[in-house]
Amino acid sequence: MLLISCPWCGEREETEFHYGGQAFVAYPADPESLSDEEWAQYVFFRDNPKGAFAERWVHSAGCRRWFNTVRDTVTNEFQS
Amino acid sequence: MEHPDWLWRTPEPRRSYDVIIVGAGGHGLATAYYLARNHGITNVAVLEKGWLAGGNMARNTTIIRSNYLWDESAAIYEHALKLWEGLQEDLEYDFLFSQRGVLNLAHTLQDVREGTRRVNANRLNGIDGEWLTPDEVAKVCPIVDVSPDVRYPVLGGTWQPRAGIAKHDYVAWAFARKADRYGVDLIQGCEVTGFITDGDRVTGVRTNRGPIHAGRIGLAAAGHTSVLASTLGIRLPLQSHPLQALVSELLEPVHPTVVMSNHVHVYVSQAHKGELVMGAGIDSYNSYGQRGSVHVIEQQMAAALELFPIFANAHLIRTWGGIVDVTPDASPIIGRTPVENLFVNCGWGTGGFKATPGVGWVFAHTLAHGEPHALNEPFTLERFTTGALIDEHGAAAVAH
Ligand SMILES: [Zn+2]
């Protein structure tokens, strides 16, 4: 069980959260101009690093707010 | 006391091979075996950073079935199941293959509709399958609680009689022994750290034991595929997650088949030795640490108890995790990459064990000919661009 620090509520158990995957994946600024390859990258491709990973969580059973954090995908240690 | 004969040699890596396979799990070993057996290609090395079959091959719940919804999946999984049915003779090794059937339970109207549709799709593809009523479920597996007064009553289930289990370690050893006898070098403790390239093609791998050259390279590295591909700047639509499983202590035979339930999310069988073997869904977050969160185990045990009240007397002995590489459509990627001479077999997510001989067969073909076998042709990387997905999420009784 991960202990996750919500920026607004403090440390809470993982079961209060839902995972949102990679952080900072912006919706395309000019969607009509995207090629199929670019759409595929946006829709289906995400980074999958072994190590530091910027990711999103939502405190769904708490304040219900989204936040970004950096976690090590080997040790599970939160770095921010 | 003398050590019994080893099942395979422990060779030093040579400087070059016709084919290098990265990852000595079930898929890598089966690929090496079929490269030799079907294509006469024996100048092959299988490189393994840890010990042979110590990754997901050692950690899965050994369920074998082919009752997938879509034609592309049904074809490759049924090809695998047909191979399983003759594999003990072919490999001359008794790995306890037991066709005890699989029940996929339905607990909601949606489950019932999905299950009956899947049975019909399976039969159209020549795959055995039946829809069972709750009473018929109880006849197949008397310890399942089919009473109406539980939280998620059993409304029926799909039944594939030819499905079953096998002893996973023995399967790996059986493939390894035969591949070794063909002259394939199985090299453990040899970690691939990068690739040697010439223009836009690979010509070898860099390892902790020096560079090794190869004509063609096949990745069969499951959860670590992204890490390897990223050294060449290749991005794959994979996310690596922990998948946990558990066993009970050894019990007298109580459970005659394999039972899976997507809705309460558990799958359980009883190993030949007597342990109840259970698995659940993946942990939600990306991870390369081979462990998961305890609440996932708690949920899967709760689900198991709901279905099997008799399990209240059993004890949890051991839990573990493996790292599975999950694709957006819950189907694997088997074939070419943007880099010439580099091929991938990845994205099997939570369900790779059942495909072991089938994927070995088609990946060997792909490596031998430089192009896919008809059965893995649909499972390209390009499908995520063209949109020709093989969407088995929710379609294939997908808790594996
Ligand atoms: Zn909060």
Side-chain angles (χ1 to χ4, degrees):
Chain A
M1 174 90 72
L2 302 182
L3 195 58
I4 301 173
S5 184
C6 171
W8 294 281
C9 310
E11 287 193 333
R12 299 294 185 91
E13 291 189 348
E14 181 192 338
T15 47
E16 294 189 12
F17 297 82
H18 280 95
Y19 189 56
Q22 185 178 353
F24 309 114
V25 180
Y27 188 77
D30 188 11
E32 303 88 64
S33 69
L34 258 54
S35 65
D36 287 353
E37 287 74 18
E38 289 165 330
W39 269 120
Q41 286 292 323
Y42 171 66
V43 175
F44 293 123
F45 288 68
R46 294 292 180 270
D47 293 342
N48 190 26
K50 186 175 184 178
F53 188 44
E55 64 188 13
R56 309 171 76 215
W57 290 88
V58 59
H59 192 187
S60 40
C63 65
R64 301 177 66 184
R65 287 207 263 187
W66 285 93
F67 58 93
N68 297 329
T69 184
V70 176
R71 181 178 52 94
D72 187 301
T73 61
V74 181
T75 65
N76 284 332
E77 193 177 353
F78 286 91
Q79 297 167 351
S80 71
Chain B
M1 203 172 117
E2 269 185 60
H3 191 286
D5 288 343
W6 296 98
L7 292 177
W8 54 84
R9 298 163 295 128
T10 303
E12 283 300 308
R14 297 205 289 269
R15 292 175 59 89
S16 92
Y17 293 90
D18 293 339
V19 177
I20 284 177
I21 296 160
V22 183
H27 288 196
L29 294 167
T31 303
Y33 169 68
Y34 288 117
L35 270 172
R37 176 190 182 273
N38 294 357
H39 305 282
I41 299 172
T42 57
N43 184 24
V44 173
V46 185
L47 309 183
E48 170 54 53
K49 70 172 176 165
W51 66 94
L52 188 141
N56 294 344
M57 192 62 176
R59 297 158 199 268
N60 70 84
T61 49
T62 80
I63 298 170
I64 296 165
R65 62 188 179 91
S66 64
N67 56 348
Y68 280 65
L69 178 67
W70 300 112
D71 294 349
E72 299 88 341
S73 313
I76 196 166
Y77 288 109
E78 178 62 12
H79 176 63
L81 181 49
K82 288 208 173 91
L83 288 172
W84 280 113
E85 287 174 327
L87 200 59
Q88 295 186 119
E89 293 72 29
D90 190 31
L91 297 177
E92 299 176 288
Y93 201 115
D94 178 5
F95 51 72
L96 305 177
F97 178 56
S98 165
Q99 290 180 289
R100 57 184 63 189
V102 64
L103 269 172
N104 291 87
L105 298 180
H107 304 272
T108 66
L109 183 57
Q110 178 60 30
D111 280 353
V112 172
R113 288 174 176 155
E114 180 275 324
T116 49
R117 179 191 181 198
R118 187 163 44 74
V119 163
N120 287 326
N122 291 161
R123 292 167 81 140
L124 287 169
N125 277 319
I127 294 169
D128 57 321
E130 287 172 56
W131 176 257
L132 302 188
T133 63
D135 286 347
E136 290 167 331
V137 167
K139 281 200 191 88
V140 168
C141 190
I143 58 172
V144 175
D145 184 357
V146 295
S147 66
D149 56 349
V150 297
R151 177 67 184 84
Y152 298 109
V154 174
L155 302 182
T158 69
W159 170 239
Q160 185 182 19
R162 288 166 58 244
I165 57 173
K167 178 89 178 115
H168 50 122
D169 295 329
Y170 292 1
V171 173
W173 301 342
F175 274 118
R177 184 182 67 144
K178 279 287 184 184
D180 176 84
R181 288 197 184 160
Y182 275 119
V184 171
D185 283 354
L186 308 176
I187 302 168
Q188 305 177 73
C190 184
E191 179 169 11
V192 172
T193 54
F195 296 89
I196 306 163
T197 55
D198 178 6
D200 58 0
R201 63 196 177 100
V202 290
T203 58
V205 293
R206 299 181 199 286
T207 79
N208 61 335
R209 294 169 68 171
I212 309 174
H213 291 271
R216 288 190 177 129
I217 299 167
L219 304 184
H224 276 74
T225 308
S226 296
V227 176
L228 288 166
S230 70
T231 66
L232 283 168
I234 300 174
R235 207 169 181 225
L236 297 168
L238 301 173
Q239 298 282 282
S240 295
H241 289 267
L243 176 65
Q244 300 183 84
L246 64 90
V247 288
S248 73
E249 76 273 49
L250 307 186
L251 300 166
E252 291 295 316
V254 291
H255 183 9
T257 180
V258 180
V259 172
M260 306 176 62
S261 168
N262 268 4
H263 195 76
V264 301
H265 222 141
V266 71
Y267 35 102
V268 56
S269 66
Q270 187 169 18
H272 292 81
K273 248 190 326 181
E275 316 102 306
L276 297 169
V277 184
M278 294 182 212
I282 56 173
D283 280 61
S284 68
Y285 48 83
N286 289 30
S287 179
Y288 288 86
Q290 288 174 312
R291 62 194 182 283
S293 294
V294 73
H295 70 268
V296 176
I297 297 288
E298 195 178 353
Q299 279 167 6
Q300 93 190 62
M301 289 181 67
L305 267 183
E306 163 100 0
L307 290 174
F308 302 94
I310 193 176
F311 291 177
N313 299 313
H315 299 93
L316 171 68
I317 295 297
R318 200 157 51 85
T319 77
W320 64 90
I323 299 304
V324 299
D325 46 329
V326 178
T327 61
D329 63 356
S331 288
I333 302 166
I334 319 162
R336 294 191 192 89
T337 69
V339 175
E340 200 180 328
N341 294 335
L342 181 70
F343 300 83
V344 286
N345 164 54
C346 63
W348 286 92
T350 59
F353 175 75
K354 69 175 76 69
T356 300
V359 72
W361 188 283
V362 301
F363 200 39
H365 178 105
T366 305
L367 288 164
H369 296 276
E371 54 186 48
H373 186 281
L375 287 172
N376 64 308
E377 189 128 44
F379 295 92
T380 60
L381 181 55
E382 290 75 28
R383 75 179 186 270
F384 297 98
T385 301
T386 63
L389 303 180
I390 304 159
D391 188 7
E392 292 291 357
H393 265 306
V398 97
H400 290 88

